[in-house]
């Protein structure tokens, strides 16, 4: 398995379509928010087959990790944690970025807490799914 930065946004969007739109029922309007062109994209490959992705948006000192998804057949393999660690490494390489933030689906907060993130604020709905804001220093 390898994780790399990519400009292949179409492949990342295909993975996100499978997980967020088809599996989780997120609307296409919510998923395709127009921010992909200005983002850094990570692509996880297993035997040269795309199986996961994440998107990074930089705003001031904060790097936002989002659109993290792993295909069902690659879940439980450590790929999700490897994607987040790779995202943190990329954010550390960005000048002036000192913290990472994300909006975790509420059921996944424990996963992110194991990676050093702390929950902030109240639960909120994003695309009809309960989420929590989370943050960590780099």
């Amino acid at each position: 398995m390898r994780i790399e930065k990519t400009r292949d946004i179409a492949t990342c969007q295909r993975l996100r379509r499978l997980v967020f739109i088809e599996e989780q029922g997120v609307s296409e309007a919510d998923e395709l928010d127009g921010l992909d062109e200005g983002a850094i994209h990570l692509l996880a490959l297993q035997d040269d087959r795309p199986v996961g992705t994440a998107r990074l948006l930089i705003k001031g000192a904060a790097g936002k990790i989002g659109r993290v998804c792993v295909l069902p057949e690659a879940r439980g393999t450590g790929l999700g944690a490897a994607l987040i660690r790779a995202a943190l490494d990329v954010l550390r390489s960005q000048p002036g970025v000192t913290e990472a933030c994300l909006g975790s689906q509420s059921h996944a907060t424990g996963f992110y807490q194991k990676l050093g993130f702390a929950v902030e604020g109240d639960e909120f709905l994003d695309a009809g799914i309960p989420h929590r804001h989370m943050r960590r220093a780099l």
Side-chain angles (χ1 to χ4, degrees):
M1 172 189 53
R2 71 182 194 278
I3 298 170
E4 55 193 35
K5 285 178 21 176
T6 185
R7 295 194 185 281
D8 186 355
I9 296 171
T11 295
C12 295
Q13 287 176 338
R14 276 194 301 275
L15 291 168
R16 289 167 24 197
R17 173 175 293 281
L18 288 169
V19 172
F20 297 127
I21 296 173
E22 294 179 17
E23 182 183 333
Q24 297 183 356
V26 172
S27 75
E28 190 165 322
D30 283 332
E31 165 52 29
L32 300 174
D33 60 7
L35 300 176
D36 283 339
E37 288 299 324
I40 299 167
H41 297 270
L42 297 178
L43 186 60
L45 300 148
Q46 194 165 45
D47 301 321
D48 292 323
R49 186 172 155 269
V51 292
T53 188
R55 180 178 82 176
L56 310 177
L57 298 169
I58 310 298
K59 187 170 184 179
K64 182 176 183 186
I65 302 170
R67 300 304 197 266
V68 178
C69 69
V70 173
L71 293 181
E73 61 268 24
R75 292 179 192 155
T77 65
L79 176 59
L83 259 173
I84 298 303
R85 285 192 293 272
L88 293 170
D89 287 343
V90 170
L91 291 176
R92 285 185 193 101
S93 75
Q94 303 300 303
V97 177
T98 59
E99 65 180 7
C101 60
L102 53 84
S104 169
Q105 291 186 9
S106 293
H107 70 84
T109 56
F111 166 79
Y112 290 107
Q113 286 171 322
K114 288 177 187 168
L115 293 163
F117 286 85
V119 172
E120 291 186 342
D122 296 328
E123 189 172 70
F124 64 95
L125 289 179
D126 186 0
I129 299 169
H131 280 69
R132 299 292 299 269
H133 288 294
M134 300 188 80
R135 183 176 310 273
R136 67 159 284 169
L138 293 174

